[in-house]
Amino acid sequence: MQTFDLEAEGLRALNASLHAQAADTNQTVWEIVNPKGSHAIAVGLDAPIEVNVKGSTGYYCAGMNKQATVHVHGSAGPGVAENMMSGMVVIDGDASQYAGATGHGGTLVIKGNASSRCGISMKGIDIIVHGNIGHMSAFMAQSGNLVVCGDAGDALGDSLYEARLFVRGSVKSLGADCIEKEMRPEHLEILADLLARGGCDAKPEEFRRYGSARKLYTFNIDNAY
Amino acid sequence: MCGIVGLFLKDPSLEPRLGDMLTDMLITMTDRGPDSAGIAIYGDQTAGAAKLTVQSDTPDSDFATLEDDLRRAVTGTVSMTVADTHAVLTIPNDYVAATRGYLKNTCPGVRVMSHGETLEIYKEVGLPRDVAARFDLRGMSGTHGIGHTRMATESAVTTMGAHPFNTGSDQCLVHNGSLSNHNSLRRKLRRNGVHIETENDTEVGAAYLTWRMQNGATLGEALESSLNDLDGFFTFVVGTKDGFGVVRDPIACKPAVMAETESYVAFGSEYRALVNLPGIEVARVWEPEPATVYFWSYDTPPTAKAA
């Protein structure tokens, strides 16, 4: 295992070391100590390595991740796993606003609560939140799955496209064009897999499914150019 | 951007370290606001006396005879402590208005930064590290304080545009964000006789709170109504004589992190600002909810009220 002291060696050295790892690297497990809320930790990784961050992080941790598994043993600041492409990001604590924003793929697991705008404009990422999520989550979400074991805040799924939203608890309000939808067997199957990947012991039957009513301007073919 | 820090001590043994801890937090927030910095600190109180913190761009001439001049103008004990461009005037409580009038009429270069019984406000243009050194913020003790690092967006980088803003006796405000209706609100407040000095948006926010409280609202009520009357982005932290409060606009784009232990309640724009506080590893750390007014006070239990 490689241990990296962020306070002593600095952010650029850390990310350069992580970027230097090839697909067949032997340095497969990294531990980052003294993160102290720093920004942009383990951003832009593209190798099948495991990175354990021993503490809380600031803005944009694990952004643009490909292949790597990033595990934050603490809470994460705004924009964690933003624009993730593949791989896995796990947050033991809470995540601040716009966690998993614009993510194209991979899995983001938040074991605490997520703040506002979780999964905003998500494009294929799967996000599993053990706790609650804040307002305007999954705003303009295009594809992928958002699973919330707790409650959702105001305006969930506003202007949604094709993403699936599963919420176990209450939803404070639904955003424009977001509606509750029937939970069919295929959805329970998808949800069971997501819950297993997220390490949740919740049962798929306890959740409700929300999605797009497809009534907004963009869904009307007469408005196409 | 802008950075905010705040510290409310529950453990009196930490009081001599308040300035030191706040200074570290403030310097960590330099990236968020490198153009000016300020701090409001709630310190000692002298029975029957009030404190006016004043500022001058030419302190050598303006402060040279100010203490003696005031002694002639005011009955009772007057003292002055100079720190760089600022000076704290301690005067009998009954002479606050008279002293302000005297300063206005005879010392045009002297501006009042704050007034109250325990509050002192220090703010200047420059890097937070340099501003802290000029006033020796590290050496200050107190029960609680709030600080601000500014990245100007709405008005010029000047001392008077720096935060905190004094909103009433022993009350102050710092702001991260930008108010979009500050011009119309400034006109409205000026029509109501409220004095607003600069083109700064936060000063309008501060004047709004002052005006609401002068018309009978409590600080909590004024903060609640600010959610309707102020348009734009804001995370506000307000200082009061016995505590501090936090409110974020309903969209809550501007960041805020709180931490609480048995020894203190701390506020930071980012978690980074809090990492060196004692016992932070075991603190309860959370993000204040949008459109919710929080208060911590020495006199009453903590409150969190959704507006």
Side-chain angles (χ1 to χ4, degrees):
Chain A
M1 187 183 71
Q2 317 297 311
T3 299
F4 196 100
D5 185 337
L6 185 59
E7 198 173 25
E9 300 175 67
L11 181 70
R12 280 177 192 273
L14 169 69
N15 283 336
S17 302
L18 296 174
H19 293 165
Q21 304 308 309
D24 56 353
T25 177
N26 287 325
Q27 301 177 337
T28 54
V29 181
W30 293 70
E31 183 174 272
I32 302 171
V33 296
N34 288 320
K36 297 202 165 183
S38 300
H39 302 172
I41 293 173
V43 159
L45 306 192
D46 189 7
I49 58 174
E50 180 185 325
V51 178
N52 289 292
V53 185
K54 307 297 273 185
S56 293
T57 61
Y59 281 80
Y60 306 127
C61 179
M64 301 178 282
N65 188 54
K66 269 185 177 174
Q67 303 190 64
T69 296
V70 179
H71 190 151
V72 177
H73 298 258
S75 290
V80 66
E82 191 171 71
N83 213 53
M84 176 153 67
M85 304 304 285
S86 65
M88 180 144 179
V89 175
V90 180
I91 313 299
D92 281 350
D94 297 331
S96 187
Q97 56 180 327
Y98 48 94
T102 75
H104 288 252
T107 308
L108 168 63
V109 179
I110 297 162
K111 295 194 172 172
N113 301 313
S115 180
S116 58
R117 294 172 276 276
C118 180
I120 183 170
S121 195
M122 53 193 273
K123 296 174 171 70
I125 189 175
D126 291 329
I127 304 175
I128 299 111
V129 183
H130 288 219
N132 306 323
I133 59 170
H135 64 276
M136 296 300 287
S137 288
F139 175 63
M140 293 187 85
Q142 288 142 60
S143 165
N145 299 288
L146 172 63
V147 179
V148 184
C149 296
D151 302 331
D154 272 319
L156 175 70
D158 194 293
S159 308
L160 194 64
Y161 293 81
E162 299 300 320
R164 297 185 200 92
L165 315 180
F166 300 102
V167 183
R168 181 161 70 161
S170 65
V171 174
K172 200 166 176 195
S173 66
L174 292 171
D177 208 35
C178 182
I179 56 169
E180 184 175 350
K181 294 190 160 182
E182 182 193 0
M183 185 80 93
R184 296 195 298 269
E186 67 263 35
H187 301 122
L188 291 171
E189 203 174 310
I190 291 166
L191 182 54
D193 172 59
L194 289 162
L195 290 168
R197 279 158 56 199
C200 302
D201 55 9
K203 295 180 179 59
E205 295 77 18
E206 297 166 349
F207 287 75
R208 292 164 178 245
R209 179 170 76 99
Y210 303 88
S212 174
R214 303 191 181 94
K215 300 286 187 202
L216 290 186
Y217 182 91
T218 37
F219 291 99
N220 185 344
I221 190 63
D222 294 335
N223 294 324
Y225 287 107
Chain B
M1 280 226 266
C2 296
I4 301 176
V5 299
L7 198 53
F8 169 84
L9 299 178
K10 300 190 217 172
D11 175 0
S13 73
L14 287 174
E15 287 177 12
R17 291 183 52 204
L18 179 72
D20 192 38
M21 291 193 284
L22 272 174
T23 301
D24 277 338
M25 296 164 77
L26 200 67
I27 291 172
T28 308
M29 289 292 94
T30 299
D31 306 1
R32 299 191 63 89
D35 63 42
S36 32
I39 196 165
I41 198 150
Y42 291 84
D44 293 336
Q45 178 174 4
T46 309
K51 291 198 269 198
L52 284 182
T53 311
V54 296
Q55 184 270 356
S56 165
D57 289 338
T58 52
D60 290 345
S61 54
D62 278 335
F63 295 160
T65 61
L66 184 58
E67 192 172 10
D68 290 336
D69 294 344
L70 276 175
R71 286 210 171 103
R72 281 191 285 277
V74 166
T75 311
T77 311
V78 173
S79 68
M80 180 169 89
T81 312
V82 176
D84 197 69
T85 53
H86 286 45
V88 178
L89 307 172
T90 305
I91 50 172
N93 244 331
D94 301 339
Y95 282 90
V96 173
T99 306
R100 291 189 83 135
Y102 176 83
L103 292 171
K104 191 177 174 189
N105 294 329
T106 53
C107 314
V110 173
R111 284 95 60 102
V112 176
M113 298 283 107
S114 69
H115 77 275
E117 290 179 331
T118 62
L119 171 65
E120 295 169 19
I121 288 180
Y122 300 86
K123 59 186 188 183
E124 272 302 348
V125 171
L127 285 172
R129 183 191 57 220
D130 300 337
V131 173
R134 285 169 72 172
F135 301 122
D136 190 22
L137 295 181
R138 284 193 187 278
M140 293 183 187
S141 64
T143 51
H144 56 297
I146 56 181
H148 186 270
T149 62
R150 182 171 186 228
M151 184 176 284
T153 56
E154 302 293 306
S155 69
V157 177
T158 60
T159 304
M160 295 309 278
H163 306 215
F165 288 91
N166 195 199
T167 51
S169 180
D170 280 320
Q171 289 182 343
C172 65
L173 170 76
V174 298
H175 171 209
N176 174 19
S178 57
L179 303 179
S180 38
N181 64 337
H182 67 98
N183 283 322
S184 59
L185 191 56
R186 184 183 296 105
R187 285 194 293 273
K188 179 182 164 186
L189 290 168
R190 278 180 175 158
R191 275 201 301 277
N192 281 285
V194 178
H195 172 76
I196 298 173
E197 187 128 353
T198 70
E199 297 306 301
N200 181 276
D201 58 331
T202 308
E203 191 194 1
V204 174
Y208 168 83
L209 295 178
T210 307
W211 173 70
R212 289 277 293 126
M213 289 185 286
Q214 281 168 354
N215 286 282
T218 63
L219 179 58
E221 288 165 351
L223 287 171
E224 277 174 46
S225 65
S226 75
L227 288 163
N228 289 323
D229 292 337
L230 300 182
D231 191 11
F233 298 119
F234 53 89
T235 290
F236 287 140
V237 176
V238 296
T240 66
K241 190 177 181 186
D242 68 342
F244 80 107
V246 174
V247 63
R248 304 174 77 194
D249 72 77
I251 305 292
C253 284
K254 294 300 171 189
V257 179
M258 310 271 328
E260 182 164 18
T261 71
E262 287 181 355
S263 302
Y264 58 82
V265 181
F267 178 97
S269 290
E270 299 177 31
Y271 178 72
R272 272 192 307 156
L274 313 177
V275 292
N276 289 324
L277 291 174
I280 190 69
E281 307 78 21
V282 293
R284 181 172 80 95
V285 178
W286 80 101
E287 222 174 81
E289 294 285 322
T292 302
V293 179
Y294 295 81
F295 269 110
W296 285 264
S297 151
Y298 292 104
D299 300 336
T300 51
T303 57
K305 187 179 176 196

